[in-house]
Amino acid sequence: MTRDWIGILSAALVSTCISTSGFAADELKLKAISDAAIKPIMDKYGIPGIAVAITADGQNHIFNYGVESKDTDRPVTPATMFELGSISKTFTVTLTSYADVTGRLSLSDKASKYLPSMKGKPFGDVVLMDLGTHTAGGFPLQFPDEVKTEKQLMEYLATWKPSFAAGTRRTYANPSIGALGYITAKSMGKDFAALMEDQLFPSLGLKSTFIDVPKSRMVDYAQGYKRSGEPARMTPAILSSEAYGVKSTASDMIRFIDANMGLVELDEKLQQAITNTHKGYFDVGAMTQDLIWEQYSYPATLTTLMDNNSSAMLKTIPVKQLMPAMKPRDDVWINKTGSTNGFGAYVAFIPNERVGIVILANKNYPNEDRVSAAYQILTDITSAR
């Protein structure tokens, strides 16, 4: 482990002590708010289990509902791990941003600097920032099924041709963020999964967050369920670790949200890296595209949040580049959804209100319902102060 990461790991074990308001500390009131938003959704979609984590004025609260598996009826607990789906991308850009802060790469670099075989090819000219904002020129949502090995990955990237100029359209795509994670690992000289599990996650103080769940923790890995009700867990694929492969608990994820609001004491460079992921690079209608994170001026309406977290956002959408990039702001609602075949997740936080939420479920259900539940909970909290 490098000296940089040793320092970060030591600092991550200390949390900032922040006084709590009477309301935020009232567990019963917060549970009632959570129950009112979560239980109807569980009934509506037959969701076996949900874990909710709320951070309010520096204090964390975890509420667990239902079961990890319909076969075992084992209840969801603080140790239960869920698949994060695309929320995993926020960890990938945190690693990339750390590499940027520490001089391993620059977001303004071209891909060919780290993948010499791409020189003279369209992918070689792609700027790393565009990979982290879905604006590289048009990738499909997923890699083609035949791309299974690293050799096939390089062949695919070598023959890729953009559909439009970089920085003019947003096309949500796993290949672009996957490639960014791959390049970041190259710049740091280590395997991506090792960088995450041995360095980044421990440095953030996350003890139950993994790409590859160890055998000793498989008992805590919730069984996921498709919308049809069939059991499902994600199957690893090319660059899936970088794009959607992280599994975590509600308690670890709410610590990550606290870190994103600067409420956890971390190594200075790591904290700067996290903050830098909140820079705004493109206007996408009412949404501002950060490095993977999506932000909205606060207060934001529920309609705005639901519309911009709907399946319509998977289409190709014109964007307006912000030059210079917008500095990180506190008066915003920042969020990210994540799904796999058997899991559905959502995280959101409002820095200037010092509140945030994590909702993890072991069934894939519509993003709009996740957003609505989170909005109801955070609005009730902030309005009750």
Side-chain angles (χ1 to χ4, degrees):
M1 188 178 293
T2 66
R3 184 174 299 173
D4 282 345
W5 286 100
I6 292 172
I8 296 173
L9 180 56
S10 299
L13 301 179
V14 181
S15 295
T16 303
C17 294
I18 302 172
S19 62
T20 60
S21 69
F23 178 77
D26 192 327
E27 192 87 359
L28 290 178
K29 288 183 180 179
L30 284 175
K31 186 176 188 306
I33 289 172
S34 179
D35 287 354
I38 297 300
K39 288 184 176 181
I41 290 176
M42 293 186 72
D43 291 341
K44 180 179 180 180
Y45 294 105
I47 300 171
I50 288 183
V52 175
I54 298 168
T55 179
D57 296 319
Q59 188 173 33
N60 294 342
H61 306 263
I62 312 293
F63 304 113
N64 298 307
Y65 303 86
V67 297
E68 292 179 346
S69 167
K70 293 188 287 188
D71 290 335
T72 66
D73 281 336
R74 185 182 180 192
V76 174
T77 73
T80 302
M81 285 179 283
F82 297 79
E83 293 175 9
L84 300 183
S86 286
I87 294 172
S88 305
K89 294 175 171 67
T90 64
F91 287 108
T92 298
V93 294
T94 298
L95 184 67
T96 299
S97 185
Y98 180 77
D100 182 48
V101 167
T102 55
R104 269 73 165 213
L105 58 72
S106 170
L107 288 167
S108 62
D109 287 339
K110 293 183 178 181
S112 59
K113 180 173 181 178
Y114 306 95
L115 302 177
S117 65
M118 297 296 139
K119 288 182 178 178
K121 303 182 187 304
F123 183 77
D125 288 332
V126 171
V127 173
L128 302 190
M129 181 273 289
D130 287 321
L131 290 175
T133 53
H134 306 297
T135 58
F139 280 95
L141 179 60
Q142 305 285 6
F143 281 107
D145 291 341
E146 60 268 20
V147 179
K148 300 181 184 298
T149 67
E150 188 170 6
K151 181 176 181 293
Q152 291 169 336
L153 170 65
M154 291 297 101
E155 291 171 350
Y156 173 81
L157 295 176
T159 58
W160 172 80
K161 289 182 173 58
S163 301
F164 35 80
T168 62
R169 301 284 191 278
R170 177 187 187 267
T171 302
Y172 191 91
N174 287 322
S176 58
I177 187 63
L180 180 63
Y182 180 82
I183 288 170
T184 299
K186 288 285 187 185
S187 77
M188 299 180 76
K190 291 188 177 181
D191 174 75
F192 178 82
L195 285 166
M196 299 293 268
E197 294 186 330
D198 298 341
Q199 298 184 11
L200 182 62
F201 296 156
S203 298
L204 289 166
L206 309 183
K207 300 178 180 179
S208 296
T209 302
F210 307 97
I211 290 175
D212 299 309
V213 178
K215 289 183 179 180
S216 62
R217 295 297 307 276
M218 283 298 292
V219 67
D220 297 317
Y221 186 176
Q223 176 61 61
Y225 296 90
K226 298 179 182 179
R227 294 190 184 188
S228 63
E230 299 174 72
R233 278 183 179 156
M234 67 160 285
T235 301
I238 192 72
L239 301 188
S240 60
S241 297
E242 292 84 347
Y244 53 85
V246 178
K247 298 87 180 173
S248 188
T249 62
S251 56
D252 266 13
M253 288 305 297
I254 204 64
R255 179 179 172 86
F256 183 52
I257 295 305
D258 278 340
N260 273 271
M261 292 194 289
L263 302 180
V264 174
E265 186 175 330
L266 297 173
D267 171 88
E268 183 179 351
K269 289 183 178 179
L270 180 56
Q271 186 62 67
Q272 186 61 56
I274 292 171
T275 301
N276 286 354
T277 65
H278 305 156
K279 290 181 179 179
Y281 291 97
F282 294 93
D283 275 340
V284 190
M287 183 263 281
T288 299
Q289 181 68 65
D290 302 347
L291 278 182
I292 291 299
W293 290 108
E294 298 157 9
Q295 68 168 280
Y296 307 83
S297 294
Y298 181 76
T301 68
L302 177 57
T303 298
T304 294
L305 295 173
M306 291 175 68
D307 287 348
N308 285 272
N309 282 285
S310 71
S311 59
M313 296 302 289
L314 297 179
K315 298 177 181 179
T316 298
I317 304 172
V319 299
K320 178 183 177 182
Q321 186 166 2
L322 301 175
M323 299 183 70
M326 181 189 298
K327 293 181 180 180
R329 293 168 50 185
D330 287 339
D331 58 337
V332 287
W333 174 294
I334 300 178
N335 73 188
K336 186 71 187 78
T337 60
S339 301
T340 58
N341 282 337
F343 292 80
Y346 181 66
V347 297
F349 57 98
I350 310 167
N352 68 353
E353 295 281 2
R354 295 204 307 175
V355 297
I357 190 166
V358 172
I359 303 177
L360 307 178
N362 61 347
K363 189 174 185 179
N364 188 330
Y365 67 106
N367 284 345
E368 291 86 343
D369 291 273
R370 308 176 206 178
V371 173
S372 179
Y375 185 88
Q376 179 179 333
I377 291 168
L378 294 186
T379 300
D380 284 351
I381 291 172
T382 55
S383 64
R385 286 171 167 166

